[in-house]
Amino acid sequence: MSEKNTADLNEIENRIQIACDIAEKKRSEVELIAVSKRQELQRVQAVLDSGIRCFGENQVQEALTRWLPLKTIYSDITLHLIGALQSNKAADAVRLFDVIHTIDRDKIAKTLSNEMQKQNKNLSCFIQINTGLEPQKAGIEPKQAVEFARCCIHDYGLSIAGFMCIPPIDDDASPHFAFLSHLAKKAGLSGLSMGMSADFEEAIKLGATHIRIGSALFGDRAY
Ligand SMILES: *Cc1c(COP(=O)(O)O)cnc(C)c1O
């Protein structure tokens, strides 16, 4: 298991580097987030052994169970919340995570702002944009993105790094990445959280600053 993951990491690092070369970006300008949700501990351990310290989880409870113990062993871990956040989990999320990618509605922006003040923390955040206008998917409508970002920054005092998207499963992802980049420019934001196992190279070519890779790094999820 450990060997397999190391090989996977080398291959993914090569692919990231090639995409960075094409995009004329430095490798250090793209953050690889290893998405460890629903992976067995031994796989996570193998990725930790390979030196990766930046991880993504999509559920607060699962992340707490896994990372509270691991954080006592590895002091330099950075944790990214990449899944929907319920208001009643905001306190735990602010306590555990370093970056939140999924501000997707006014209420959670307000709640996070209050919670960060209470805990005297200032997490970096991304606003999730529903670029595909999918009714079942979380996120701010593209036409409200710029105004919502302004509100998060100026009214709620949040540190907004940029925008995040999850393109519709059956669409070519590239137009969504290009659109997200366009919206971020309009909002004056430089961070772009986009690209997963199937499409991270396209995302880098279109300006991704944070790529979220799960299965290509760890293998298929357990459930
Ligand atoms: C699970 C997940 C990923 C990783 O997906 P893979 O296809 O396994 O790379 C990335 N982003 C979000 C928001 C996810 O929920």
Side-chain angles (χ1 to χ4, degrees):
M1 185 61 69
S2 171
E3 273 170 40
K4 174 183 176 292
N5 277 309
T6 306
D8 285 351
L9 176 62
N10 289 339
E11 192 219 307
I12 284 177
E13 269 301 337
N14 284 338
R15 289 168 58 188
I16 293 172
Q17 185 60 60
I18 290 167
C20 283
D21 290 346
I22 292 168
E24 298 187 345
K25 289 186 109 179
K26 295 197 207 82
R27 172 66 186 86
S28 58
E29 293 175 275
V30 178
E31 180 128 49
L32 166 60
I33 301 167
V35 178
S36 49
K37 68 183 185 196
R38 286 177 270 136
Q39 294 289 352
E40 285 169 22
L41 183 59
Q42 63 172 0
R43 289 181 173 182
V44 177
Q45 190 59 58
V47 171
L48 276 164
D49 290 345
S50 73
I52 288 197
R53 290 293 180 270
C54 178
F55 290 86
E57 291 282 349
N58 74 334
Q59 284 184 11
V60 176
Q61 192 51 55
E62 185 189 350
L64 280 169
T65 307
R66 162 156 297 158
W67 289 104
L68 280 183
L70 286 173
K71 271 186 143 186
T72 65
I73 304 170
Y74 302 91
S75 57
D76 53 348
I77 285 183
T78 306
L79 283 184
H80 295 250
L81 178 65
I82 61 165
L85 178 59
Q86 307 301 319
S87 293
N88 62 359
K89 297 275 173 62
D92 282 339
V94 169
R95 222 167 276 127
L96 180 72
F97 288 95
D98 301 285
V99 184
I100 304 225
H101 289 244
T102 44
I103 294 188
D104 57 3
R105 58 199 191 279
D106 185 73
K107 186 179 175 216
I108 204 70
K110 207 182 286 178
T111 305
L112 279 171
S113 165
N114 289 336
E115 198 51 51
M116 286 185 209
Q117 277 178 32
K118 250 192 239 166
Q119 296 188 31
N120 196 21
K121 283 182 121 181
N122 187 11
L123 276 56
S124 178
C125 298
F126 288 81
I127 295 167
Q128 183 172 351
I129 310 294
N130 189 356
T131 58
L133 293 171
E134 295 173 281
Q136 84 288 3
K137 194 168 272 175
I140 301 296
E141 270 188 46
K143 64 174 189 286
Q144 288 163 2
V146 173
E147 170 55 21
F148 186 76
R150 192 207 59 74
C151 167
C152 284
I153 295 165
H154 293 104
D155 300 350
Y156 301 144
L158 292 169
S159 290
I160 301 296
F163 289 159
M164 173 271 207
C165 77
I166 308 169
I169 191 105
D170 295 324
D171 276 19
D172 175 7
S174 290
H176 294 273
F177 296 155
F179 185 37
L180 196 72
S181 170
H182 165 77
L183 289 173
K185 275 202 193 88
K186 259 175 58 176
L189 299 170
S190 56
L192 288 170
S193 168
M194 58 190 199
M196 315 192 347
S197 290
D199 50 29
F200 65 88
E201 287 139 309
E202 286 78 4
I204 291 169
K205 289 172 199 164
L206 290 164
T209 59
H210 293 68
I211 53 175
R212 313 177 306 261
I213 302 186
S215 46
L217 200 53
F218 292 95
D220 290 338
R221 280 179 280 278
Y223 48 91

